[in-house]
Structures are given as structure tokens and as C-alpha cells.
């Protein structure tokens, strides 16, 4: 798509966020980890509104990784309950604010009632303009392995030759295939790693790291990251 599609002065279409630091936010206040997650949902709400207002086409948020199953069962239950409540309570706001919900990751493996809620919300927001892609049970290595398996199956059925496998084919099979290319990746909480998030998509994304803990993140920080992004020179390997 051409640059004329960009709806903001920052030149950014797609921002992704690794929302990290809920536990440390709670710990600093001598509160349970779950309260950190609860306040994290408030930060999601504000950030989703801001994404639309700032003219982004897509916001992808890392909510639950394929490795987060390693956490205590009680914490996983808390997170799943927050997810249920969030989809139910914010569906009307998505529709009112022209938000289109999308999920990346193997969300089919979540509890059947959550899968049903997600699919209902995706259907009811299908005409929205700003895409909110929520990464649920998402791991980038899992995403790439799923694609590779599909290609292997296609090849064994004679549907594709190995010389037809290229970057364009891979990109068209990613969970993010219908999203604009990733412009900016934000990670909160001072950690400087990708934690299995959008490895392919990050190839030429700009990175913005902040020490702010996710529950403290707000529209002003998103704007700050976008302003920073606007001043970067992206070369994509050229000169
Ligand atoms: C991020 O907060 C939220 C999820 C991973 C679901 P954490 O729970 O990882 O918070 P910290 O990293 O322990 O502070
Ligand atoms: C990444 O945060 C996953 C999400 C934000 C959902 P983690 O807290 O799970 O990452 P690590 O374990 O510190 O790398
Ligand atoms: Mg963490």
C-alpha cells in the first residue's frame, strides 16, 4: 500500500506492544500480582483508545505468550478471567470506536467459552477500521513452525514446489498477514528482549524500550514513542 494510506504525521501504520511489568508494578505496592494484571487492563483500554485517536491502522498487543502456561495455575486463571471480562465489557466500546478485533496465536487452545467470546467479538467488529490484534497463546516460533508444516503438507500434495517458497509466501501465511507491516515495537518494564514475539515481523521494525511498568503506560507514552519513531531514519538495508 502507498504512503497515502498513513493517517498520522508520525508515518506509522502498525505498532506492537510487549506489555510487561504488571508483577513488578504490584510488588512495588505490596499488592498481589493479579492486581497488577487488573491495572494492566486499564492501561490496555487507554492505549486502544489512543491508537485510534493517533491514527494508527493497527495495534498489536502481547497479552499471553505460548510460554506463559509455565506460570502458576492461579495466575493463568486470573489472566483468563480478565480476558473474558475485557472482551465482554469492551465490545460495545470497540464497536462505537470503530475498532476491529483480531487475534493472533493459537487461541483455539483456550477454554471453549473464551474461544466463543473471541469469535463473537471478531464477527461483531468486522467492519471496524482500527485493528486491535491481541496476541493470545502466541509464540513466534510456534507461528513459524505452523507455517512450515502447512508448506510441507502443500508440497507433499504437489501443490507447491520448493523453488516457489519465498518471503512473500511466508509473509502471506503469518498470523499477521492481513496487517500492515510492523513499524514500531514497544516493550515496557525495562526488559530488552523479544520473548518470542513477532520475530519475522520485527525484521525491520523500529524498537522503543521504556522502564515504565505496563499499568503506568498511557497515551502520552504512545505519543512519545511515535514522536521518537518519526525522527528515525529507516534504511531497510539500502542507503
Ligand atoms: C506482563 O506482566 C503480563 C503478562 C505476561 C501476561 P508480568 O506478569 O510479566 O509482570 P512482571 O514481568 O513479572 O513484572
Ligand atoms: C512477555 O512477557 C509476554 C507478554 C507480555 C504477554 P514475559 O514477562 O512473559 O516475558 P519474559 O519471561 O520476561 O521474557
Ligand atoms: Mg514479565
Amino acid at each position: 500500500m502507498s504512503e497515502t494510506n498513513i493517517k498520522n504525521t508520525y508515518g506509522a501504520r502498525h505498532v506492537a506492544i510487549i506489555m510487561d511489568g504488571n508483577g513488578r508494578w504490584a510488588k512495588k505496592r505490596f499488592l498481589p500480582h493479579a492486581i497488577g494484571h487488573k491495572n494492566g487492563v486499564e492501561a490496555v483500554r487507554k492505549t486502544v483508545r489512543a491508537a485510534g485517536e493517533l491514527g494508527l491502522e493497527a495495534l498489536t498487543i502481547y497479552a499471553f505468550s505460548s510460554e506463559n502456561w509455565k506460570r502458576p495455575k492461579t495466575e493463568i486463571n486470573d489472566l483468563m478471567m480478565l480476558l473474558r471480562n475485557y472482551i465482554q465489557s469492551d465490545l460495545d466500546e470497540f464497536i462505537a470506536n470503530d475498532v476491529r478485533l483480531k487475534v493472533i496465536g493459537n487461541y483455539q487452545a483456550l477454554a471453549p467459552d473464551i474461544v466463543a467470546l473471541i469469535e463473537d467479538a471478531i464477527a461483531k467488529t468486522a467492519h471496524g477500521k482500527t485493528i486491535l490484534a491481541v496476541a493470545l497463546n502466541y509464540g513466534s516460533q510456534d507461528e513459524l513452525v505452523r507455517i512450515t508444516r502447512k508448506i510441507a503438507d502443500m508440497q507433499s500434495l504437489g501443490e507447491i514446489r520448493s523453488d516457489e517458497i519465498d518471503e512473500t509466501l511466508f509473509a502471506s501465511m503469518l498470523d499477521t498477514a492481513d496487517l500492515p507491516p510492523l513499524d514500531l515495537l514497544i516493550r515496557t518494564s525495562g526488559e530488552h528482549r523479544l520473548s518470542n514475539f513477532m520475530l519475522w515481523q520485527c525484521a525491520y521494525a523500529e524498537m522503543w524500550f521504556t522502564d515504565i511498568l505496563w499499568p503506568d503506560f498511557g497515551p502520552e507514552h504512545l505519543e512519545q514513542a511515535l514522536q521518537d519513531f518519526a525522527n528515525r531514519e529507516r534504511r531497510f538495508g539500502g542507503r
Side-chain angles (χ1 to χ4, degrees), residues 19-25 33 37 62-65 68 71 75 79 189 191 213-214:
M19 313 182 288
D20 199 13
N22 294 350
R24 281 161 282 168
W25 184 93
H33 202 134
H37 291 317
Y62 205 8
F64 193 84
S65 79
N68 287 149
R71 295 189 179 210
E75 182 181 353
L79 285 166
S189 89
E191 308 294 354
L213 300 173
W214 176 250

Side-chain angles (χ1 to χ4, degrees), residues 2-178:
S2 70
E3 290 217 3
T4 51
N5 285 311
I6 300 172
K7 290 181 282 188
N8 55 62
T9 53
Y10 311 104
R13 300 173 63 195
H14 182 187
V15 173
I17 309 181
I18 302 176
M19 313 182 288
D20 199 13
N22 294 350
R24 281 161 282 168
W25 184 93
K27 201 170 176 198
K28 265 173 60 181
R29 290 163 178 77
F30 306 101
L31 293 168
H33 202 134
I35 303 293
H37 291 317
K38 191 165 177 271
N39 282 271
V41 176
E42 283 309 312
V44 169
R45 265 191 195 108
K46 286 189 244 164
T47 306
V48 171
R49 274 181 217 135
E53 286 162 11
L54 292 166
L56 292 180
E57 277 173 64
L59 174 73
T60 301
I61 53 173
Y62 205 8
F64 193 84
S65 79
S66 49
E67 285 72 40
N68 287 149
W69 297 109
K70 294 177 193 163
R71 295 189 179 210
K73 189 102 188 62
T74 48
E75 182 181 353
I76 294 172
N77 288 341
D78 290 339
L79 285 166
M80 294 301 154
M81 199 47 83
L82 286 169
L83 176 62
R84 279 186 187 93
N85 292 344
Y86 176 64
I87 299 171
Q88 283 172 322
S89 61
D90 284 47
L91 181 57
D92 287 345
E93 179 163 340
F94 293 158
I95 295 167
N97 292 346
D98 232 359
V99 170
R100 183 174 125 211
L101 184 73
K102 178 184 165 70
V103 172
I104 65 168
N106 181 15
Y107 74 92
Q108 304 285 352
L110 301 179
D113 73 299
I114 298 185
V115 175
L117 275 176
I118 288 171
E119 289 179 347
D120 177 61
I122 290 174
K124 287 184 176 146
T125 60
H127 301 291
K129 277 202 202 72
T130 314
I131 301 170
L132 169 64
V134 185
L136 290 172
N137 191 20
Y138 175 88
S140 195
Q141 292 178 340
D142 170 68
E143 177 183 37
L144 298 175
V145 168
R146 281 189 275 116
I147 294 172
T148 308
R149 283 196 188 133
K150 262 188 223 157
I151 294 176
D153 288 344
M154 286 161 68
Q155 200 182 10
S156 66
L157 291 168
E159 291 169 4
I160 194 167
R161 293 187 320 267
S162 58
D163 64 356
E164 290 172 320
I165 302 169
D166 59 10
E167 289 88 339
T168 310
L169 177 73
F170 248 82
S172 75
M173 295 174 81
L174 292 166
D175 292 353
T176 54
D178 51 348

